[in-house]
Amino acid sequence: NGISKFDGTNFINYSKNLGLPSKVATAIHVDRKDSNRIWIGSKKSGITRYDETSGFYNYAKQDGLPSNNVTDITQSENGNLIIACYNEGIAKYNGKTFKLINKGLTDKRVIKVTNGPGGTIWVGTESAGIGVLNGDQFKMIIDSDGLGHNEIFSLHYDGKRMWAGTFGGGVSCFSDDLWYTMSQA
């Protein structure tokens, strides 16, 4: 039913009747260059920018976004948005244009996107492991490289180690150039 903001006392709910294009929000990202700007991903309506002054503004396929199904959002060090576009790969948005990047990505069903060591971009896919962006091409990391499972549901860089939550393979950690996996076993 949209998104909610806590003002310190109450929740303010934003829904379609207030300008949000979709009631299904799949990702939320606070802009690192302007904390008053919020980016919201949706399942069928692309990505929406919100700020107190101008309200909601939506970007979709007709604006150059590769997919209207946005599963995650992060931001590179230079301020560009990195958008996980399910079934397409990722899109970089520089504030004016979207650029699709999916070369070397063996599964374009990107679930998660995050910043990794040295400002690298890491993406978690639905069935092909993790892609690490090098220039404009991905290098894939899969279970045979030490990853616990190829279905990725979460990614996090703690400043020292990369963590990957998998489906059926536990939690994998990349530290000192090695993958370690912790599972129920």
Side-chain angles (χ1 to χ4, degrees), residues 28-175:
I28 295 179
H29 175 76
V30 178
D31 195 296
R32 293 186 184 136
K33 301 289 183 184
D34 180 357
S35 63
N36 293 314
R37 183 176 296 151
I38 310 295
W39 297 92
I40 305 141
S42 71
K43 192 165 183 152
K44 293 182 181 173
S45 298
I47 189 168
T48 304
R49 180 190 70 220
Y50 174 79
D51 64 59
E52 296 285 333
T53 322
S54 50
F56 292 101
Y57 186 84
N58 195 63
Y59 302 89
K61 283 185 82 166
Q62 65 265 24
D63 303 303
L65 185 65
S67 170
N68 283 339
N69 190 349
V70 173
T71 54
D72 202 11
I73 308 162
T74 194
Q75 200 165 11
S76 61
E77 293 172 348
N78 66 2
N80 289 344
L81 288 182
I82 310 298
I83 305 161
C85 295
Y86 191 81
N87 274 337
E88 295 294 335
I90 65 165
K92 282 187 180 181
Y93 180 62
N94 63 10
K96 295 180 180 158
T97 58
F98 295 95
K99 178 183 178 185
L100 174 64
I101 301 173
N102 60 17
K103 187 175 181 186
L105 200 57
T106 54
D107 183 356
K108 293 177 180 75
R109 297 173 299 168
V110 176
I111 304 293
K112 292 291 175 190
V113 59
T114 194
N115 296 306
T120 55
I121 302 298
W122 290 53
V123 301
T125 68
E126 191 167 297
S127 69
I130 296 170
V132 181
L133 189 60
N134 185 5
D136 279 344
Q137 183 164 340
F138 285 96
K139 177 185 182 269
M140 299 305 294
I141 299 167
I142 58 173
D143 54 0
S144 62
D145 297 314
L147 193 59
H149 198 276
N150 289 330
E151 292 179 66
I152 306 300
F153 281 92
S154 59
L155 283 173
H156 175 72
Y157 179 58
D158 68 10
K160 205 170 154 189
R161 297 170 298 267
M162 180 60 70
W163 297 86
T166 71
F167 180 78
V171 176
S172 294
C173 176
F174 186 66
S175 180

